[in-house]
């Protein structure tokens, strides 16, 4: 059986999550050094710098909605509710999240919020399809 567009976008979103984890770790390691990265991290560490902090917050922001998105995509498929609305919603969610990452990392205001809103609208569309 072929994967639906929604499942393909969910898979790409999972890859994006891995990219975000890696980006945040690389930025934090650049600040604190390789010894910190391979150590037990028991000692107090300074707060993250500007870029590392942004990448860590972007990652946390994605992780707030990713379980909801995944559940909605899976539920829509199981319920036979996937279609145009869920496909469009999944595209908006993924591409909104994809654009959000560099905008946040580079500190771009306003446009970053628009990307977040597009992703959120996509998530709402997938959820709404469950009730139609």
């Amino acid at each position: 059986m072929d994967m639906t567009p929604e499942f393909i976008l969910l898979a790409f979103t999972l890859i994006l999550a891995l990219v975000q984890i890696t980006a945040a770790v690389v930025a934090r390691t650049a600040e604190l050094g390789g010894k910190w990265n391979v150590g037990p991290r028991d000692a107090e560490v300074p707060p993250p710098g500007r870029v590392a902090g942004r990448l860590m917050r972007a990652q946390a922001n994605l992780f707030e909605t990713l379980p909801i998105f995944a559940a909605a995509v899976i539920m829509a498929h199981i319920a036979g509710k996937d279609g145009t609305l869920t496909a469009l919603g999944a595209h908006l969610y993924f591409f909104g999240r994809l654009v959000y990452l560099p905008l946040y990392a580079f500190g771009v205001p306003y446009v970053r919020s628009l990307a977040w809103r597009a992703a959120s609208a996509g998530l709402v569309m997938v959820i709404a399809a469950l009730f139609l």
Side-chain angles (χ1 to χ4, degrees), residues 12 15 25 29 35-36 58-59 96-97 114 122 128 130:
F12 280 125
I15 294 167
V25 168
T29 301
K35 187 175 178 180
W36 167 82
Q59 174 192 331
R97 296 308 317 193
L114 289 175
L130 297 172

Side-chain angles (χ1 to χ4, degrees), residues 21-33:
I21 291 168
T22 302
V25 168
V26 167
R28 194 67 169 140
T29 301
E31 293 175 350
L32 300 174

Side-chain angles (χ1 to χ4, degrees), residues 4 6 72-84 86 129-130 132:
T4 64
E6 296 86 348
V73 166
I74 293 165
M75 289 174 67
H77 184 72
I78 290 171
K81 300 283 187 164
D82 42 3
T84 304
T86 57
L130 297 172
L132 298 177

Side-chain angles (χ1 to χ4, degrees), residues 51-62:
V51 174
R54 289 175 184 165
L55 289 170
M56 292 166 69
R57 289 188 300 276
Q59 174 192 331
N61 188 277
L62 173 64

